[in-house]
Amino acid sequence: MVEFVVPEPDYDRYSNRQLAAVPLAVLALALLVLAGWTLMTGTPVTPGIEFTGGTEIQVATDASQSEVRQSLDFEIDSVQPIAGSNEYIVTTQATDSDAISSAARSAGYEIVSVQSRSASFGADAQRLALIGIGVAFVGMSLLIFALFRTFVPSIAVVASAFSDIVIPLALMNVFGIKLSLGSVAALLMLIGYSVDSDILLNNHILRRRGSFYESTYRAMQTGVTMTVTSISAMTVMWIVSSLFGIPLLPDLAIVLVFGLVADLMNTYMLNLSLLRWYKYEGVAR
């Protein structure tokens, strides 16, 4: 049986500025990516057909994935094979389902199903998704300030959660992942995951007995184990759902993996550096 042991880092070797520099540099880079993407495309992340409107058509054929893409004479968003069958799910931002069905029949494909979403419905869904993420983040922030009632520990949790969301959004652009219902669900879940690990660290350091580093290591043993377990589970889910062509789950899983890896860095470097400053310098002032 493999035993997972959380290594005890020697934080004494690094100053607070050195610890915070890496996560802040990564956050700045992520914000630059989102700003550049907004200037080029008009949105910080490219929305999928759930938020722009479009058509999803499922076809049956013995042709390969690349042959399906090349044979259809409309602009294609993605061609997703369905594992264990000879069927593909083709998505496009075009909304004329009759013309798309006609093009698929002309290419010699058997149509299994066709689903279309209007552009206005997509715009409404996009607005509701943004409102949902905003409300969740503001609600989380208010709860954190109510729990700790001190500025530095509270802002450490909120800053870490903000970075945990911004970094996956930038990585979505880098890896060509569009904003979908699955990725929005992952961003909402990341708020919860991020707050869990940050509150665990803050509680051990601020509210339990023991030295700063003893408390930090006890929190790390639980927090790192919890996060690494979640990363492993999400990686497996991404692989399996991608292989079997299960909709939504690949986007949800890979965005969670991005966010959870960022959470390890932000919690035990950015949040920790702010807490150490607060404990040894901020309280004395």
Side-chain angles (χ1 to χ4, degrees), residues 55-74:
T55 303
E56 184 178 279
I57 181 169
Q58 186 171 336
V59 298
T61 176
D62 292 327
S64 67
Q65 187 174 356
S66 59
E67 288 171 339
V68 172
R69 181 179 284 276
Q70 292 169 2
S71 61
L72 296 172
D73 60 355
F74 53 83

Side-chain angles (χ1 to χ4, degrees), residues 39-260:
L39 288 174
M40 289 190 297
T41 66
T43 56
V45 183
T46 305
I49 66 169
E50 293 95 335
F51 302 115
T52 60
T55 303
E56 184 178 279
I57 181 169
Q58 186 171 336
V59 298
T61 176
D62 292 327
S64 67
Q65 187 174 356
S66 59
E67 288 171 339
V68 172
R69 181 179 284 276
Q70 292 169 2
S71 61
L72 296 172
D73 60 355
F74 53 83
E75 189 174 347
I76 294 173
D77 221 38
S78 67
V79 178
Q80 182 72 45
I82 299 176
S85 71
N86 61 341
E87 297 177 359
Y88 296 89
I89 297 175
V90 181
T91 57
T92 173
Q93 293 191 348
T95 54
D96 189 346
S97 56
D98 291 337
I100 292 167
S101 300
S102 176
R105 288 194 194 92
S106 300
Y109 302 140
E110 178 188 348
I111 298 173
V112 179
S113 65
V114 180
Q115 292 182 340
S116 184
R117 299 177 182 86
S118 70
S120 60
F121 179 81
D124 288 342
Q126 187 175 3
R127 182 174 54 82
L128 289 174
L130 291 174
I131 291 173
I133 293 174
V135 169
F137 193 85
V138 171
M140 176 275 296
S141 303
L142 294 175
L143 180 63
I144 292 301
F145 277 96
L147 278 174
F148 292 102
R149 298 179 185 177
T150 47
F151 182 73
V152 174
S154 302
I155 204 68
V157 176
V158 174
S160 182
F162 175 73
S163 184
D164 288 350
I165 293 175
V166 169
I167 292 172
L169 284 172
L171 289 174
M172 286 170 63
N173 291 332
V174 172
F175 290 99
I177 301 169
K178 294 186 176 180
L179 191 69
S180 64
L181 293 176
S183 54
V184 169
L187 294 172
L188 290 169
M189 291 169 70
L190 274 176
I191 295 175
Y193 273 116
S194 173
V195 170
D196 276 352
S197 55
D198 289 322
I199 288 179
L200 180 70
L201 180 65
N202 285 21
N203 270 335
H204 272 77
I205 290 176
L206 300 177
R207 295 180 175 174
R208 295 195 180 184
R209 294 181 179 178
S211 72
F212 180 87
Y213 294 109
E214 286 174 350
S215 301
T216 299
Y217 184 61
R218 284 200 300 271
M220 284 186 70
Q221 284 181 307
T222 305
V224 172
T225 303
M226 182 175 67
T227 305
V228 171
T229 302
S230 300
I231 291 172
S232 304
M234 290 302 113
T235 303
V236 172
M237 188 168 87
W238 175 68
I239 294 171
V240 173
S241 58
S242 299
L243 288 175
F244 286 91
I246 302 171
L248 294 181
L249 292 186
D251 289 347
L252 184 148
I254 195 63
V255 173
L256 275 175
V257 170
F258 290 156
L260 289 169

